[in-house]
Amino acid sequence: MSWAALAVALCLAAPSLGWWFPDTGEAMSSIGRRIDGLFYIILWITSIVFVGTQIALGYVLWKGAVKPAHEKATYSHGNHTLEVIWTVIPGIVLLFIAIYQMDVWAAFRMRNYAPGEIEAIAEVTARQFEWRIRYPAPGKPLMPMPQPDDVYTVNDLRIPVGRPVSISLRSGDVQHSFFVPVLRIKQDALPGTVIPVWFDALQPGSYDLVCAELCGWGHYKMKARVLATSEELFQKWKQEAVLLQADDGLQSASPAESTAADQAQTSTP
């Protein structure tokens, strides 16, 4: 039994050491890597305790099996010293984990880039069953109410890499959950509440955005992408999106509205 337990513990610890499994799930955000560090510490503690207890159990079973048959068994009501030891040690371990994680939690929620200290680049509204994103026009801040020159996308969140960014998270109907696994970001979206969420992307790439809260029959369809690019490409995309959106608006307008828009453009110096 002890050998089987040891094999299971090694399999659990192997991903963190990179022995048998490729590390394809490395966090791509600064806070995500610190969160991973907490998980690895807990994994090591639980693995050591699990292996140690299984080895002790195997030794007791082996000792009882080789005991002479004529030797009488002894009865013990308990050992207060051992009971205190195996109560105090888990308490110390839990206290260590609680204190050790406080710095990570404070950095994520209270210090450095706490929500409200950096300007929001977009408003993300979760609704059955899609993500609607509203960006301010280039050079303008994100306003609480939609503006005529705002840029809109669906299931496509663009962010710049190399710096922390913030979004305003909302829900248009029921409770959802904004979850980007590779960035280790997860935040519930509550109806009637605007929640600021900050994160960063360390490398360019396309990352999955999903809903982690069961929100209805189409919950499985709430998949989007977070596209992280350089600051230059991000700003260039916003400028192109503004022009493209304006062209789409003119094409979908009535003939009278299009004529009025053309006259306004010609009369502008």
Side-chain angles (χ1 to χ4, degrees):
M1 181 180 295
S2 59
W3 285 107
L6 179 60
V8 171
L10 289 175
C11 288
L12 291 174
S16 64
L17 298 176
W19 288 349
W20 301 331
F21 304 102
D23 189 9
T24 57
E26 181 184 5
M28 289 299 168
S29 66
S30 55
I31 194 66
R33 293 185 176 178
R34 299 187 65 184
I35 292 173
D36 283 357
L38 294 176
F39 276 99
Y40 290 147
I41 288 177
I42 296 173
L43 175 63
W44 273 109
I45 293 174
T46 53
S47 298
I48 291 172
V49 172
F50 178 76
V51 172
T53 53
Q54 294 304 309
I55 290 176
L57 178 61
Y59 172 77
V60 171
L61 293 176
W62 172 79
K63 194 71 175 175
V66 300
K67 193 174 185 179
H70 63 274
E71 188 175 339
K72 292 183 179 181
T74 57
Y75 173 78
S76 174
H77 181 68
N79 189 315
H80 292 292
T81 303
L82 286 178
E83 291 176 0
V84 170
I85 290 175
W86 65 51
T87 302
V88 171
I89 291 179
I92 293 175
V93 172
L94 291 176
L95 182 62
F96 164 75
I97 295 174
I99 295 175
Y100 189 81
Q101 59 86 32
M102 287 177 64
D103 186 59
V104 179
W105 180 254
F108 182 42
R109 290 295 188 186
M110 292 175 281
R111 292 203 313 264
N112 299 335
Y113 309 114
E117 294 187 4
I118 54 178
E119 185 178 334
I121 64 167
E123 178 188 79
V124 179
T125 302
R127 52 176 292 174
Q128 296 173 318
F129 297 98
E130 64 186 9
W131 302 91
R132 292 200 172 186
I133 297 100
R134 177 173 66 90
Y135 304 86
K140 295 185 178 180
L142 181 69
M143 304 299 292
M145 298 299 294
Q147 302 298 308
D149 54 355
D150 285 344
V151 178
Y152 293 87
T153 62
V154 177
N155 296 334
D156 185 13
L157 176 60
R158 310 273 181 126
I159 63 171
V161 298
R163 67 177 176 92
V165 297
S166 174
I167 63 168
S168 298
L169 182 63
R170 311 179 58 147
S171 172
D173 36 50
V174 300
Q175 181 173 339
H176 300 272
S177 185
F178 179 90
F179 184 33
V180 187
V182 75
L183 300 181
R184 309 297 192 261
I185 295 298
K186 185 178 181 183
Q187 173 63 55
D188 287 352
L190 306 176
T193 306
V194 181
I195 303 175
V197 183
W198 82 266
F199 53 92
D200 61 355
L202 299 178
Q203 295 181 13
S206 180
Y207 308 126
D208 289 336
L209 164 61
V210 297
C211 178
E213 183 73 28
L214 185 60
C215 55
W217 67 268
H219 166 69
Y220 69 97
K221 298 193 299 183
M222 282 195 67
K223 182 178 180 182
R225 70 168 182 173
V226 176
L227 186 61
T229 61
S230 65
E231 183 77 35
E232 181 183 355
L233 290 178
F234 174 69
Q235 297 299 336
K236 182 180 179 182
W237 168 80
K238 284 184 67 174
Q239 293 172 357
E240 293 175 350
V242 169
L243 297 176
L244 181 62
Q245 190 167 272
D247 290 342
D248 289 343
L250 289 176
Q251 291 172 6
S252 60
S254 64
E257 292 172 338
S258 299
T259 307
D262 292 337
Q263 291 176 352
Q265 288 179 352
T266 9
S267 60
T268 303

